[in-house]
Amino acid sequence: MRFTVRAATKDDCKEISRMIKELAVYEKMSDQVKISHEELERDGFCQNPFFECLVAEVPEEQKSTEGFTVVGYALYFYTYSTWKGRAVYLEDLYVMPEFRGNGIGTGLLCKVAEVGKKKQCVRLQLSVLDWNTPTRDFYAAKGGQDLTVTEGWHAIRFDGQSLDSLVHEAPTD
Amino acid sequence: MRFTVRAATKDDCKEISRMIKELAVYEKMSDQVKISHEELERDGFCQNPFFECLVAEVPEEQKSTEGFTVVGYALYFYTYSTWKGRAVYLEDLYVMPEFRGNGIGTGLLCKVAEVGKKKQCVRLQLSVLDWNTPTRDFYAAKGGQDLTVTEGWHAIRFDGQSLDSLVHEAPTD
């Protein structure tokens, strides 16, 4: 199957938003998506964007049963290690179910690695859920190291009330 | 103990670099630090900075035994959730051992939360090592949720040869 991977433009945000929701439905978490395409436009296409995005596109004659030609996306941003320097973090990697098995996911992943390398990033990181064996195997087969298993890293989050509590405790200027 | 928390300037990078190394020595990983103060200056104080940093400062009369007044730092950057939007990620939080127990760590953490909130971030995230019980307890006491335990998130990393392999597999434009 022919496909191309290119940097997303502001005009792609509706398609990206559609696929974010598809991914959440697949994960049975669709009620969790609070972000609209307007917010993607605002946050990804401003002066200091919060993220960058690649999309995978197929030719018109290979469009999906519902008529879509943008069939996958990889959303990422830059992070920083105080030991090693610049890094790129892959937040979402998604390919529509009917287009899987054609190397599109690998194409998106490798392109993010290439974009990161051009920006002098020395790492590509991402997170996976422990029960998601196919995805864990996919990354492991490509050489990704599970830092939670090998080094014991745990992810901690503050949000909602716990985030507000921190803010209220902040020292005054 | 009196202390202030303020945004780091380019001139603070030597002090931040010193503390990054102190933290690595404490973790018995000092050989892992490849980043110099010049790289911190370049990456944190450019047009689209890879990170931001806060420093904690004590008055001259309370300086450290070695004569330092910058005694802690919090280095963070912005990330993005495709479900919830803007987030802030705390990469490093450090207070020099002789200044611990004075609320400086909490002050830095809460200030990062405040800075994030002002940028409309809905989450503050960070990573801890599973054997580091004091640090895990510190964040848990403040309401931080361990996503690795509650949801099963694992951190995956590509670097060195595994990153290069991805880059070599990237589709051509």
Side-chain angles (χ1 to χ4, degrees), chain A residues 43-122:
Chain A
D43 292 340
F45 299 88
C46 51
Q47 186 141 30
N48 279 302
F50 285 81
F51 64 84
E52 295 182 5
C53 192
L54 299 175
V55 291
E57 211 163 21
V58 293
E60 182 65 25
E61 62 270 23
Q62 289 176 329
K63 68 186 176 193
S64 78
T65 48
E66 288 165 313
F68 300 118
T69 54
V70 176
V71 302
Y73 74 100
L75 190 141
Y76 60 96
F77 40 76
Y78 299 100
T79 65
Y80 204 75
S81 158
T82 50
W83 290 1
K84 308 290 183 184
R86 301 178 184 186
V88 59
Y89 187 93
L90 180 60
E91 176 71 15
D92 275 6
L93 179 66
Y94 176 72
V95 178
M96 289 173 70
E98 60 185 295
F99 292 91
R100 289 180 198 162
N102 295 301
I104 300 178
T106 299
L108 285 163
L109 171 67
C110 294
K111 203 73 186 176
V112 171
E114 188 185 70
V115 169
K117 197 85 181 179
K118 279 185 187 158
K119 281 246 190 189
Q120 296 170 265
C121 295
V122 295

Side-chain angles (χ1 to χ4, degrees), chain B residues 148-163:
Chain B
T148 300
V149 170
T150 59
E151 299 183 359
W153 286 104
H154 283 223
I156 308 292
R157 178 191 294 161
F158 294 87
D159 59 5
Q161 209 179 327
S162 67
L163 180 60

Side-chain angles (χ1 to χ4, degrees), chain B residues 6-22:
Chain B
R6 62 169 174 79
T9 67
K10 207 168 176 174
D11 289 339
D12 291 310
C13 286
K14 275 189 187 164
E15 291 294 281
I16 297 163
S17 181
R18 164 183 63 80
M19 292 187 286
I20 287 171
K21 283 170 198 150
E22 285 176 21

Side-chain angles (χ1 to χ4, degrees), chain B residues 14-42:
Chain B
K14 275 189 187 164
E15 291 294 281
I16 297 163
S17 181
R18 164 183 63 80
M19 292 187 286
I20 287 171
K21 283 170 198 150
E22 285 176 21
L23 177 56
V25 167
Y26 170 78
E27 290 173 332
K28 299 181 176 41
M29 304 276 259
S30 57
D31 60 320
Q32 292 295 309
V33 181
K34 305 293 174 204
I35 286 296
S36 66
H37 70 90
E38 288 92 347
E39 281 155 309
L40 294 174
E41 287 169 9
R42 179 195 69 189

Side-chain angles (χ1 to χ4, degrees), chain B residues 127-152:
Chain B
S127 299
V128 294
L129 284 160
D130 55 7
W131 54 259
N132 193 345
T133 311
T135 300
R136 291 181 69 177
D137 291 348
F138 171 77
Y139 290 120
K142 300 200 172 299
Q145 189 192 349
D146 186 324
L147 299 179
T148 300
V149 170
T150 59
E151 299 183 359

